[in-house]
């Protein structure tokens, strides 16, 4: 079992004060190649990452692979949910970490932890994750907000990044480590983030809100009517 790289014996968990979010190549053309998860769910989770980065005040860096070509533009939800995100144009590099401007933008954040998601998983997420570990960063790869062309490709990539010392995570776990507690002023905004990650959570919220409304108004239950 490989150990997470660059943690020096510390618990491998996200620290919002040390982390930056890298959202790489979430593009309309590349999304059409995704087969290891439903594309609409992937799209929602990528948008959720951008929103939670805004709530947690994380720097966000985005980039795209030849967006004027068949890979297509970045999905608009990314910058809509993280209007402070910094976009870095590449000059054809497949691995974003091979672009000096991208690496310079990451260094400029001053953060030592990187939360990385990218489509496709085995390339756009994996290549920069492995390279960033090599350069001394603590890296968390968000597998279910990346997406690739087969379940086999996802599993092989997961094994590869773990061997390199990357910490694999899912979107909900990232949200929970950034949020830390429900005892915070923006708790309702975090609840909305979870409805993006798993929409059925909205049903729980609606049921809870209705129960509180019935209690506060002293509403008579239908079952108690004569």
């Amino acid at each position: 079992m490989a150990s997470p790289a660059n943690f020096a014996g510390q618990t491998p968990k996200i620290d919002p004060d040390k982390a930056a979010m890298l959202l790489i190549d979430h593009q309309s053309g590349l999304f059409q190649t995704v087969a290891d998860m439903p594309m609409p769910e992937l799209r929602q989770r990528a948008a959720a990452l951008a929103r939670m980065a805004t709530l947690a005040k994380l720097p966000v860096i985005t980039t795209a692979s030849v967006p004027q070509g068949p890979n297509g533009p970045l999905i608009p939800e990314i910058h809509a949910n993280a209007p402070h995100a910094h976009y870095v144009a590449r000059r054809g590099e497949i691995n974003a970490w091979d672009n000096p401007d991208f690496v310079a933008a990451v260094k400029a954040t001053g953060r030592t932890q990187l939360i990385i998601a990218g489509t496709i998983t085995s390339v756009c997420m994996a290549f920069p994750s492995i390279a960033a570990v090599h350069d001394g960063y603590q890296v968390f790869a968000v597998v279910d907000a990346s997406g690739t062309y087969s379940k086999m490709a996802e599993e092989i990539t997961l094994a590869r990044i773990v061997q390199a010392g990357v910490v694999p995570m899912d979107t909900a776990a990232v949200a929970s480590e950034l949020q830390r507690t429900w005892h915070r002023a923006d708790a309702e905004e975090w609840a909305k983030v979870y409805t993006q990650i798993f929409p059925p959570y909205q049903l729980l919220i609606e049921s809870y809100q209705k129960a509180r409304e019935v209690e506060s108004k002293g509403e008579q239950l239908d079952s108690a009517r004569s």
Side-chain angles (χ1 to χ4, degrees):
M1 178 70 70
S3 298
N6 307 317
F7 283 88
Q10 298 176 338
T11 303
K13 65 180 182 179
I14 298 170
D15 183 340
D17 296 325
K18 296 180 180 179
M21 183 88 71
L22 310 186
L23 300 177
I24 302 171
D25 301 353
H26 289 100
Q27 298 169 245
S28 60
L30 292 175
F31 269 27
Q32 295 179 56
T33 70
V34 172
D36 62 330
M37 65 187 77
M39 186 275 290
E41 294 181 12
L42 167 59
R43 189 165 186 159
Q44 285 183 300
R45 288 191 284 262
L49 285 177
R51 177 57 181 159
M52 66 180 75
T54 298
L55 290 173
K57 298 180 173 57
L58 303 187
V60 179
I61 300 171
T62 65
T63 187
S65 172
V66 288
Q68 295 85 6
N71 290 348
L74 287 174
I75 60 169
E77 297 96 317
I78 298 291
H79 281 260
N81 281 281
H84 67 293
H86 173 55
Y87 175 78
V88 177
R90 308 209 301 275
R91 291 180 290 277
E93 300 92 346
I94 293 175
N95 181 357
W97 209 260
D98 287 341
N99 181 278
D101 295 334
F102 184 82
V103 175
V106 174
K107 290 182 179 178
T109 68
R111 302 298 179 101
T112 58
Q113 293 186 343
L114 303 178
I115 303 167
I116 302 179
T119 305
I120 59 175
T121 308
S122 53
V123 178
C124 309
M125 180 274 275
F127 289 3
S129 293
I130 293 169
V133 162
H134 183 266
D135 284 355
Y137 288 92
Q138 298 172 344
V139 178
F140 302 86
V142 194
V143 180
D144 68 340
S146 295
T148 189
Y149 48 85
S150 72
K151 195 66 178 176
M152 180 183 291
E154 177 193 296
E155 292 170 354
I156 292 169
T157 302
L158 184 59
R160 184 185 185 194
I161 64 171
V162 168
Q163 287 176 337
V166 177
V167 180
M169 296 185 70
D170 66 90
T171 308
V174 173
S176 295
E177 287 204 352
L178 290 175
Q179 180 190 355
R180 292 183 172 179
T181 176
W182 286 104
H183 185 62
R184 52 189 297 162
D186 60 354
E188 288 190 14
E189 293 303 313
W190 283 97
K192 293 177 183 178
V193 168
Y194 292 107
T195 67
Q196 288 181 269
I197 300 170
F198 24 80
Y201 191 63
Q202 180 65 37
L203 301 176
L204 297 177
I205 293 174
E206 291 169 1
S207 297
Y208 172 73
Q209 289 174 335
K210 180 59 180 177
R212 292 294 302 273
E213 180 184 338
V214 168
E215 181 182 24
S216 64
K217 292 182 178 180
E219 181 179 332
Q220 185 181 21
L221 300 179
D222 286 359
S223 59
R225 297 181 189 275
S226 57

